[in-house]
Amino acid sequence: VTVTTNGVKLGGWTGVNVRRSLEQFCDDFTLEVTNQRADGNSTGVQRSRVRTMADELETADQIVVQIDGQTVLTGYVDTFDFEHDANQASLRIGGRSTNGDLADCSAIRKTGVWKKASLEEIARDLCLPFAVLVVDADNLSGKPFERFRLEASESVHEALARAAEMRSCLL
């Protein structure tokens, strides 16, 4: 498992959890690296590897998580925890996919209304400001809406979930 951030690849994680599901809108991850010798004594070299990784990462950094060279998640660091003592050094980071922005941010459209637009067109319009790619490879988004209107202070995810439910689609 490697994490790429700011042009630097970081590997050697000792704990990895990546959750992806059709039932959750945002994929998430937790990665941990801990250095401890079998006798309980950490060496400066081991501690410096964790410290170097900690120096490369910060909350809100954009990252790419790869497993065996295959990208499984592109997103941001939400949590960051670096700890060390005389016997151990550890770094734990967590975050979620870029779709997290769609769940956190309000949907924006100048008029707030689409006429005769498909779910795919609406999704593309709402996701464009966040650089999130929308794909409907099998053209399953259904017939165009006669009229679709954003609700006040609705997030992009809420608007898309509502539209998808009307068309019996999964996001």
Side-chain angles (χ1 to χ4, degrees), residues 30-94:
T30 306
L31 303 169
E32 182 174 1
V33 61
T34 301
N35 293 127
Q36 182 176 358
R37 287 180 29 166
D39 63 6
N41 294 317
S42 229
T43 66
V45 172
Q46 290 171 315
R47 215 175 7 261
S48 73
R49 183 180 83 128
V50 174
R51 181 72 242 179
T52 299
M53 291 173 84
D55 288 343
E56 292 295 335
L57 289 161
E58 289 186 34
T59 303
D61 274 355
Q62 186 172 17
I63 65 163
V64 176
V65 178
Q66 293 183 316
I67 299 176
D68 295 330
Q70 178 75 33
T71 299
V72 295
L73 188 143
T74 300
Y76 299 94
V77 175
D78 287 335
T79 61
F80 178 92
D81 186 27
F82 172 69
E83 297 176 355
H84 67 92
D85 59 28
N87 297 317
Q88 178 174 296
S90 66
L91 171 64
R92 183 178 304 113
I93 65 167

Side-chain angles (χ1 to χ4, degrees), residues 100-119:
D101 288 343
L102 303 179
D104 294 343
C105 298
S106 294
I108 300 171
R109 178 166 169 95
K110 196 170 189 173
T111 64
V113 177
W114 288 261
K115 293 179 182 176
K116 300 202 183 298
S118 69
L119 173 58

Side-chain angles (χ1 to χ4, degrees), residues 108-109 114 117 120-130 134:
I108 300 171
R109 178 166 169 95
W114 288 261
E120 181 181 15
E121 291 169 315
I122 294 167
R124 284 190 178 153
D125 287 348
L126 292 176
C127 294
L128 182 65
F130 302 94
V134 174

